[in-house]
Structure formats: structure tokens, C-alpha cells
Amino acid sequence: MSHAMNVDYDGLIPNNVGLNADARLRRALESWHPGYLDWWQARGPEGFQESLVYLRTAVSVDPEGWAKFGYVRMPEYRWGILLAPAVEDRRIAFGAHKGEPAWQEVPGEHRAMLRRLIVVQGDTEPAAVEQQRYLGRTAPSLYDLRNLFQVSVEEARHLWAMVYLLQKYFGRDGREEAEDLLRRRSGDQDTPRLLGAFNEATPDWLSFFMFTFFTDRDGKMQLHALSQSGFDPLSRTCRFMLTEEAHHMFVGQSGIGRIIERTCAAMRAAGIDDPYDIARVRTLGVIDLPTMQKKANLHFSLTLDLFGSEISTNAANAFNAGLKGRYLEDQIADDHRLTGDTYPVARLKRGQIVREDVPALSSLNMRLRDDYVADAASGIERWWNRIIERAGIAFRFRLPHVAFNRRIGEFAAIHADLDGNQLSSEEWQRRQDEFLPSIEDNLFIESLMRPVTEPGGFASWIAPPRAGVDGLPGNFEYVKLAG
Ligand SMILES: [Fe+2]
Ligand SMILES: [Fe+2]
């Protein structure tokens, strides 16, 4: 194993970027650190800062066995700066600079655009921690509580990853941006986070699992696109972040899977065949499948807005500049410049939703969103629908039409149902509760959110996992609660 794979844990800030040899950067990060810890105490997981949590910490960036597990108090977690190993003679893979050596320093002409990309990505990371701040109170098990905290410390590490780039490569304005990342606040009226979905509440565990399934998957797509970047430090940072992101999506897809499993088992045991017999299903203390579908509709549509407008000059510029590629850019067989190409974009034309060929460079947001939708759809089939099928219940989860419930892009101006049929404002008002969780739905879910804190115990509405964390049994004490 080369030494760049190992992480130096000797100093205040664990890293594999040779921080000891870079006094200026070390000072900058060390002076940002106290404000970060204040942020973590004030906006990180509420009520569990003294608890011992069985967490994974990265000790290497080698994909094989990079982590060690152990009990940690979260404020003492070793947040660090970890880059995937450099690829020798790496070249810019797309855009106008295609074939040139990847940049090790910020390309002056693209400086502002690059900084903006890093800031927008960086802003989502602390936002997710803030959104999930209160969930510890109502965790359905110690296993789930531990997973929540693992996600929180890793999102916070992703903040470190972006702050490292800002402070190392962007001088004074980088330091100011790093401060602002601690200043904005999810859901705040005056200083909200930059993107809509990161200002929404995550009020219950069904929302949390939906968020990690749908919204962390947007994170995966964005990180993939940035890991293609011609700015090599960004590429290497994002490549390592993706290994952590995979766990967040696992938490979401397995979490929802376990809720479905429990619901189906309870229905079978009670002799209920009709998944729409909601009142009876709810008396069993489990979450009915149609309500889960509504939550999925909400989180999917909020997440689609994160991809921005279907047709976007910014996206074209970032691609041309070699800063942000397509999903799996290096595996696509085309000229990677896209100057004469087109791409079919879903648009609203004379009140109709149609697919229209648009210059491929302008439609990169749409393309990334299409890749996202395909990825989410296959996750739903493989993880959720298979469980329902096995239980023999006549229900399938599906993704709503991309025009449903949108705030950004082509369909922000219309109302549409789950199949993309347009609705008048009155119809939308009248029928909203068919598509999205109603107040009663949310109250019901809230009524189930009671913490289960004895090792091996699980709430009535969720099945235990197949396997524990790190090969440990389900009744392991994943979190030692303080006091
Ligand atoms: Fe993240
Ligand atoms: Fe994540």
C-alpha cells in the first residue's frame, strides 16, 4: 500500500494530503476548526453528543478495508481530509480542454465557476446534518440510531472535504466561503441553505430513509459528475466521498425495505390482502404501502429540482470548461465535446409535455437527471418491489412523472398528476392529498415515532436488518446512551 493511501492521524486534522508540510493551509484549517465544532454542537445531532457511538472511521483510502470501527463520542470523531489516490498522467476527459493534463492548480479562467461548484456541493453537506438533527429522539432501534449518526458524521466530513478545496486553492475568498458554509442554516428565513430540498424538514424516520434513498442519490450523481472534473483535487476528493455516499444510500434503501417487509408480514398475519385497506393496516402499528408511496412522491419530486433547469447555459459552460462531466463520462463512447450533438429533453410546448431534441451541451442537467431517474427506478425494483412480490401482496412502488410537483425547470409552471396529466389549480388543490402525504398521514407516522433504546429491540413498524454493522449481532449495543 502506497503511503498516500494511509491517513496521518498524528495531528489535529487527520489527512492524506501532507498537511504537516503545508503550514499556511494547516493554519487556515486549524482556525476554521473551532467554528466548525461550535456548528456541530449547535446544529449536529441533538441530545447525543455525550453518547458512545459505534462508528466507522476511515484509516486509509484503499477501497479494500479502508475503515476501522469503534466507540466514539461524536464531537471527538476524527473528521479528516481524504483524497482518493492520484491517477498517473490523468488527462481532462471532456470539453474544450479534452486531452490536456488534468489541472493540479485552479485554472484562472474558470476560477469563479469552479468555486461556485464547490460551494454548492459543500452547502448540501452541513444542510443534511441540520435536517437530521432531531431524529435521534425517535430512533426505532440502536442499530438505526447508529446508522443515522454515521451518516451525520460523514456528511460533516464531506463539508471538510469541500472546505479543504476552498482553503487550499481559493485564498481569501475561499476562507470566506468556508465561513459562510457554517453560517447558512437549513430552513432559515434569512440565511437558508442554497438549494430547496436542503431547506425542507426531515421530521420522521420514514422521511429520513426516503431522503437517504432519493436525495443522497442526487449526491451520488453530482459527486460522480464532479469526480470526472479536470481539476484533479476535486476529482480525487469526490471519488473518495462516493465510497461514503454508498453507505448513505444503503441506509435508505434497506431502511425502506425493512419497513415494507414489516408491513407485508403484519398484513399477512392479519389476513389483509388489500394494501388499500389503510385503516385496518394502520391498526396493526405498521405503515401502509400507499402512504409510503406518497412519501416517495414527495422526496422524488423535491430531489428532481436539485438538478436545476433542463436547459442550462451554466451546465454547458461547466462541461466545456472541463469542470463537471457527465455520469460515468469516461465510459461513454462519443467525442466528449458534444458540440454538434443533441439530446431529447422533456419540455412544455403549447401546454403539452413533449420530448424535443436540444443541443446536448445545453441539456446536461436533463441528462444527469435521466441517469438519476433510471438509477432510482432500478433501486425501487430491486429493493422494494421484490420484497412486496415475495410477500405476495398486489402493490408496486413506482416513480411519479417528472412533471409532478415541480418548483424548478420546465414544469414549475403547471400542476400535474402522477402520470403527468395536467391539472387545473383547483383540481390540484382538491386532489393533492391523493398524491402527497396529508396532514392525517403525517400525524399517523408521527404517532409511530417512539424511540426504542434497548439493545436488540425494534419499533413495531420496521423489521430488524438481515445483518448487523461490522459483522456484529443485531442486539449489539450500537449506541451507549449517556446518563
Ligand atoms: Fe455528502
Ligand atoms: Fe450523503
Side-chain angles (χ1 to χ4, degrees), residues 59-126:
V59 287
S60 146
V61 292
D62 182 350
E64 311 297 323
W66 54 271
K68 71 162 199 259
F69 286 85
Y71 281 112
V72 181
R73 280 189 187 83
M74 283 185 281
E76 288 154 24
Y77 186 78
R78 301 302 307 275
W79 285 286
I81 298 160
L82 309 169
L83 269 59
V87 174
E88 212 181 314
D89 191 34
R90 184 166 172 265
R91 303 268 151 174
I92 300 169
F94 57 91
H97 302 281
K98 181 177 181 295
E100 295 172 21
W103 296 298
Q104 299 305 326
E105 294 295 331
V106 174
E109 51 181 326
H110 305 312
R111 189 172 192 276
M113 205 191 323
L114 182 56
R115 191 183 67 206
R116 185 69 189 164
L117 286 172
I118 294 168
V119 166
V120 171
Q121 179 60 43
D123 192 67
T124 67
E125 314 290 358

Side-chain angles (χ1 to χ4, degrees), residues 315-333:
N317 290 341
F319 183 88
N320 250 336
L323 299 181
K324 184 178 177 183
R326 289 170 290 177
Y327 180 54
L328 305 179
E329 180 76 44
D330 48 7
Q331 295 172 35
I332 300 172

Side-chain angles (χ1 to χ4, degrees), residues 121 124-125 128 151 154-156 158-159 216 219 223 241 244-245 248:
Q121 179 60 43
T124 67
E125 314 290 358
V151 171
E154 285 177 356
E155 298 302 9
H158 292 176
L159 169 63
D216 283 85
L223 290 176
M241 289 164 76
E244 292 162 322
E245 208 56 56
H248 307 176

Side-chain angles (χ1 to χ4, degrees), residues 88-280:
E88 212 181 314
D89 191 34
R90 184 166 172 265
R91 303 268 151 174
I92 300 169
F94 57 91
H97 302 281
K98 181 177 181 295
E100 295 172 21
W103 296 298
Q104 299 305 326
E105 294 295 331
V106 174
E109 51 181 326
H110 305 312
R111 189 172 192 276
M113 205 191 323
L114 182 56
R115 191 183 67 206
R116 185 69 189 164
L117 286 172
I118 294 168
V119 166
V120 171
Q121 179 60 43
D123 192 67
T124 67
E125 314 290 358
V129 174
E130 292 166 350
Q131 287 170 296
Q132 294 158 13
R133 168 164 162 70
Y134 299 109
L135 290 169
R137 289 177 185 167
T138 54
S141 72
L142 292 181
Y143 166 86
D144 291 290
L145 187 61
R146 178 258 163 219
N147 280 348
L148 166 71
F149 294 154
Q150 184 72 55
V151 171
S152 292
V153 294
E154 285 177 356
E155 298 302 9
R157 202 203 68 73
H158 292 176
L159 169 63
W160 274 87
M162 295 296 118
V163 162
Y164 159 72
L165 294 174
L166 289 168
Q167 296 206 338
K168 174 153 174 96
Y169 296 99
F170 292 89
R172 189 198 174 88
D173 27 331
R175 287 195 294 280
E176 281 165 12
E177 295 284 14
E179 292 301 327
D180 285 347
L181 285 168
L182 297 176
R183 209 166 287 142
R184 283 185 293 270
R185 183 179 195 146
S186 177
D188 194 82
Q189 291 289 332
D190 304 317
T191 55
R193 292 291 171 187
L194 298 175
L195 303 173
F198 289 92
N199 287 303
E200 298 284 332
T202 310
D204 58 68
W205 277 75
L206 181 55
S207 300
F208 170 63
F209 291 133
M210 289 291 178
F211 185 97
T212 43
F213 183 87
F214 286 111
T215 309
D216 283 85
R217 192 178 303 272
D218 159 72
K220 166 186 162 179
M221 304 310 286
Q222 302 298 340
L223 290 176
H224 264 287
L226 293 172
S227 73
Q228 300 284 341
S229 182
F231 181 53
D232 203 44
L234 176 60
S235 165
R236 291 175 58 195
T237 303
C238 290
R239 264 191 284 139
F240 186 72
M241 289 164 76
L242 278 166
T243 58
E244 292 162 322
E245 208 56 56
H247 171 257
H248 307 176
M249 281 182 305
F250 165 80
V251 168
Q253 60 205 13
S254 62
I256 302 287
R258 289 161 51 214
I259 301 176
I260 295 170
E261 192 184 321
R262 183 70 198 97
T263 299
C264 291
M267 286 172 64
R268 299 237 62 123
I272 303 172
D273 291 327
D274 179 7
Y276 293 92
D277 196 348
I278 290 170
R280 270 183 78 206

